[in-house]
Amino acid sequence: MNELRWTLAWESETPRERHEGLARALALSFPAYSELYRGARSWAFARPEVRIIGELGDHVVAHLGVLRRFLRVLDTGASVLVGEVGLVMVHPDFRGRGLGRRLLDEATDVLTGFDLPFGFLTCRRGIVPFYERCGWRATTSRSTMIDGDQRPGPDPAVVTVLPVTAEWPSWPDGHVVDRNGQKV
């Protein structure tokens, strides 16, 4: 099989055909949300700013999206600049081969290149240990999001944070963090 190739793809420069291939890979990797990934729709909620794509030949085997945004801490009114990471996937046929860790290493490089203080990611509780092995930390923070009907509400997922250029103690742990938009 061909060599794994990593690409940083800016959303504004991604052609329709590439979105179609990404949508197929995401639908396969997230079957519960497969109805969202149709045609050239390669996002579930908010569109990422950039995507990190791992490919073997013509096959997308790993993917994640990054969106720079300010989160607002509802308790204090403080703002925190983050690179929100979402749409994290490894193709089912390629899981268990270390691609997820390599994907997150690529994400760390991108977040560092963007000079962001933190990476921000929400996930199901069962996946938290994987992210922690990759340097992310689960927090007691809770987050909000805007749903598809543009209604704000709680996000039941676990908030994980990656200190990138900031020190860990500067994260406002224990507060409600408002995304002020949809999750990536």
Side-chain angles (χ1 to χ4, degrees):
M1 183 161 266
N2 296 333
E3 184 77 22
L4 179 64
R5 181 180 69 253
W6 294 104
T7 305
L8 181 66
W10 289 88
E11 192 71 359
S12 61
E13 299 172 358
T14 301
R16 179 180 178 83
E17 302 78 40
R18 186 137 204 211
H19 280 291
E20 290 169 349
L22 293 171
R24 285 189 298 274
L26 289 163
L28 185 62
S29 296
F30 299 115
Y33 296 99
S34 62
E35 73 282 353
L36 295 175
Y37 307 112
R38 291 185 307 269
R41 183 184 163 99
S42 61
W43 60 94
F45 301 102
R47 287 180 80 155
E49 180 181 4
V50 297
R51 297 169 184 263
I52 300 169
I53 304 166
E55 295 171 292
L56 284 170
D58 294 333
H59 303 286
V60 174
V61 297
H63 173 276
L64 67 75
V66 177
L67 176 65
R68 290 178 277 196
R69 68 177 357 150
F70 279 96
L71 304 178
R72 187 170 53 101
V73 181
L74 295 181
D75 310 58
T76 65
S79 292
V80 181
L81 177 62
V82 300
E84 183 173 355
V85 173
L87 297 169
V88 180
M89 78 88 174
V90 172
H91 189 287
D93 293 344
F94 294 90
R95 292 182 183 155
R97 300 181 188 188
L99 287 179
R101 179 158 195 73
R102 290 178 65 189
L103 177 62
L104 290 175
D105 288 345
E106 293 286 327
T108 299
D109 290 346
V110 168
L111 296 170
T112 301
F114 285 169
D115 198 29
L116 293 167
F118 296 102
F120 176 87
L121 181 146
T122 59
C123 64
R124 294 186 322 273
R125 184 156 307 284
I127 303 173
V128 169
F130 165 73
Y131 288 109
E132 289 180 329
R133 286 191 302 274
C134 295
W136 294 72
R137 291 187 180 186
T139 73
T140 58
S141 298
R142 293 173 290 140
S143 69
T144 64
M145 70 169 271
I146 304 294
D147 69 15
D149 293 324
Q150 300 303 307
R151 295 178 305 223
D155 181 354
V158 176
V159 170
T160 63
V161 173
L162 177 71
V164 180
T165 64
E167 296 296 320
W168 176 250
S170 61
W171 177 257
D173 198 33
H175 300 285
V176 176
V177 179
D178 182 13
R179 273 194 184 98
N180 198 23
Q182 294 184 326
K183 68 180 177 179
V184 175

